[in-house]
């Protein structure tokens, strides 16, 4: 069993940057692909990033490509999401996810319901 805890969300002005962190505890044998998605209340989840645990290869959704960067800190069991040039349309709750089917780890990332995720962290971007 694994647990994921996100942090780093905040309210910022457009054009600013934020860094989100996700700390993982526990281990499961199927854990090959992790990533990030976001959700606005009343809307569907939007997959953003997928990263292979072994190789560190990263996939990005077109909506964040060139602005967001995700890396792994395996020594600390942590996943980082660096978000630059934020836009009001980036306002959402951001979740770290472990994907049982590894669908986040493809171009572009996709989502089914078979993920484990944390409680989320709110990002609000004002114009």
């Amino acid at each position: 069993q694994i647990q994921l805890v996100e942090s780093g969300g905040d309210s910022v002005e457009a054009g600013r940057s934020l860094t989100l962190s996700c700390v993982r505890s526990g281990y499961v044998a199927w854990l090959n692909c992790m990533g990030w998605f976001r959700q606005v209340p009343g809307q569907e989840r939007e997959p953003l990033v997928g990263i292979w645990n072994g190789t560190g290869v990263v996939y990005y959704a077109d909506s964040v490509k060139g602005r967001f960067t995700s890396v792994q800190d395996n020594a600390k069991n942590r996943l980082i999401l660096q978000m630059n040039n934020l836009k009001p349309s980036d306002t959402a709750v951001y979740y770290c996810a472990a994907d049982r089917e590894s669908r986040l780890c493809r171009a572009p990332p996709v989502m089914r319901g078979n993920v484990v995720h944390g409680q989320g962290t709110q990002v609000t971007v004002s114009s």
Side-chain angles (χ1 to χ4, degrees):
Q1 189 174 0
I2 61 171
Q3 290 185 327
L4 305 173
V5 179
E6 304 94 337
S7 63
D10 204 347
S11 296
V12 297
E13 294 180 344
R16 298 282 188 150
S17 299
L18 276 177
T19 302
L20 305 185
S21 179
C22 169
V23 177
R24 172 177 59 83
S25 60
Y27 174 80
V28 288
W30 52 261
L31 186 57
N32 296 312
C33 170
M34 294 189 65
W36 297 86
F37 68 93
R38 64 189 179 191
Q39 189 168 25
V40 176
Q43 297 185 17
E44 293 188 357
R45 295 172 173 179
E46 180 186 4
L48 302 176
V49 179
I51 181 167
W52 285 112
N53 286 344
T55 63
V57 174
V58 188
Y59 302 88
Y60 296 97
D62 288 343
S63 59
V64 302
K65 194 177 297 181
R67 299 188 300 123
F68 290 13
T69 302
S70 188
V71 295
Q72 285 181 307
D73 181 350
N74 289 325
K76 297 182 180 180
N77 290 334
R78 189 171 62 162
L79 194 63
I80 303 295
L81 183 65
Q82 175 66 40
M83 307 186 295
N84 298 326
N85 191 22
L86 283 162
K87 305 174 181 180
S89 57
D90 293 319
T91 296
V93 180
Y94 283 71
Y95 298 87
C96 173
D99 189 345
R100 288 188 175 92
E101 298 179 7
S102 300
R103 291 178 182 269
L104 280 172
C105 293
R106 58 179 66 182
V110 296
M111 280 197 69
R112 288 279 187 87
N114 203 8
V115 298
V116 174
H117 60 82
Q119 81 291 347
T121 186
Q122 176 70 46
V123 173
T124 302
V125 185
S126 59
S127 57

